[in-house]
Amino acid sequence: MKKGLFITFEGNEGSGKTTVLHRVVEMFKKEYIDIFITREPGGNKIAEEIRNVILDNKNTEMDSKTEALLYAAARRQHLVQTVTPLLNEGKIVISDRYIDSSLAYQGYARGVGIDDVYKINMFATDNCLPQLTLFFDIDPDTGLERIAENSQREVNRLDNEQIEFHRRVHMGYMLLVDKFKDRFVIVDASKDIETVTQQVYQILKDYILKKWTDC
């Protein structure tokens, strides 16, 4: 049996990663490569319920450490109930956000501390990190402009933060790209959706073929 592959997509709000993820997976289906898509926070019933609490626009008074702990709790449930069983079956799993989101948003942008949030999540996930992370790099101002223009997109509590918060998130991600350069690949998300989709498709295809050939 081939080993399962755990891949994550990360990026600021409005980076287009979710749209690209679904487009790319449809392309792989035509080649009979089955990829399981999931997301964070969420991915199963309990984790989705925690997601609703975290992202509810009414919960503006939520403490930063409470937020970080809720994300870790949702992640734990997501991992043990959804991700790990699929990986044990040799599946390819791509998650729309994972640990790096907590490190950038709560660890850096909220000021909780990247190292502290990392420790919380290593406990929650039994030290499970993705093998490959694609970071959709876009200027935060541009990302928020995209959100404003997309009437069909869910607008959550994080979208409503001030621009300075989103700039700190981006800076946090750049620190992570440097810290975990062995698994991060940067995608220029400022380009048009077709160009980004083709770029991501090629990155994933090359990676999947190499990893499965090495098995």
Side-chain angles (χ1 to χ4, degrees):
M1 178 187 294
K2 288 184 171 63
K3 297 179 181 178
L5 298 178
F6 186 28
I7 300 168
T8 56
F9 280 24
E10 295 284 354
N12 277 74
E13 309 300 322
S15 65
K17 60 182 174 49
T18 303
T19 300
V20 172
L21 172 55
H22 287 273
R23 288 190 176 205
V24 167
V25 168
E26 286 302 313
M27 293 169 69
F28 277 111
K29 282 183 180 179
K30 296 177 182 178
E31 300 182 16
Y32 303 100
I33 298 176
D34 190 25
I35 297 175
F36 186 90
I37 299 175
T38 187
R39 71 172 184 176
E40 288 203 352
N44 54 54
K45 181 178 180 295
I46 295 174
E48 289 287 341
E49 290 178 358
I50 299 173
R51 175 191 179 91
N52 291 336
V53 174
I54 295 172
L55 298 182
D56 192 327
N57 282 307
K58 297 192 296 292
N59 293 335
T60 55
E61 72 276 17
M62 185 178 294
D63 176 77
S64 296
K65 289 185 179 180
T66 299
E67 185 180 70
L69 289 166
L70 284 172
Y71 273 112
R75 183 162 296 125
R76 173 66 184 179
Q77 190 66 30
H78 178 225
L79 191 69
V80 298
Q81 188 178 354
T82 303
V83 176
T84 300
L86 289 166
L87 294 177
N88 289 340
E89 294 174 8
K91 305 292 187 182
I92 301 171
V93 179
I94 300 182
S95 181
D96 186 348
R97 297 197 182 281
Y98 188 58
I99 283 176
D100 297 301
S101 285
S102 287
L103 300 181
Y105 281 77
Q106 287 74 50
Y108 190 81
R110 295 283 194 215
V112 177
I114 288 179
D115 289 342
D116 286 339
V117 175
Y118 185 79
K119 290 175 185 176
I120 291 169
N121 280 276
M122 288 299 96
F123 168 75
T125 65
D126 296 323
N127 303 309
C128 177
L129 288 171
Q131 292 137 299
L132 175 69
T133 299
L134 273 60
F135 170 57
F136 287 67
D137 188 14
I138 192 168
D139 177 75
D141 298 74
T142 304
L144 293 180
E145 287 172 7
R146 286 181 176 180
I147 291 174
E149 294 169 357
N150 184 0
S151 60
Q152 295 181 335
R153 185 189 185 279
E154 169 196 26
V155 177
N156 59 53
R157 187 169 59 86
L158 296 179
D159 294 329
N160 293 325
E161 291 284 351
Q162 296 296 316
I163 184 61
E164 285 305 319
F165 172 79
H166 295 283
R167 289 171 181 161
R168 290 196 300 273
V169 169
H170 186 264
M171 178 59 70
Y173 271 124
M174 297 312 296
L175 292 173
L176 297 176
V177 168
D178 184 64
K179 184 179 179 68
F180 300 111
K181 54 175 67 76
D182 57 322
R183 64 175 171 85
F184 263 94
V185 174
I186 297 178
V187 175
D188 184 355
S190 67
K191 298 184 181 300
D192 63 89
I193 195 71
E194 289 77 15
T195 300
V196 178
T197 298
Q198 286 298 324
Q199 182 185 359
V200 171
Y201 168 76
Q202 197 59 55
I203 291 169
L204 291 178
K205 185 172 184 180
D206 291 345
Y207 182 81
I208 291 169
L209 290 176
K210 179 181 184 302
K211 286 296 181 180
W212 277 6
T213 300
D214 291 343
C215 289

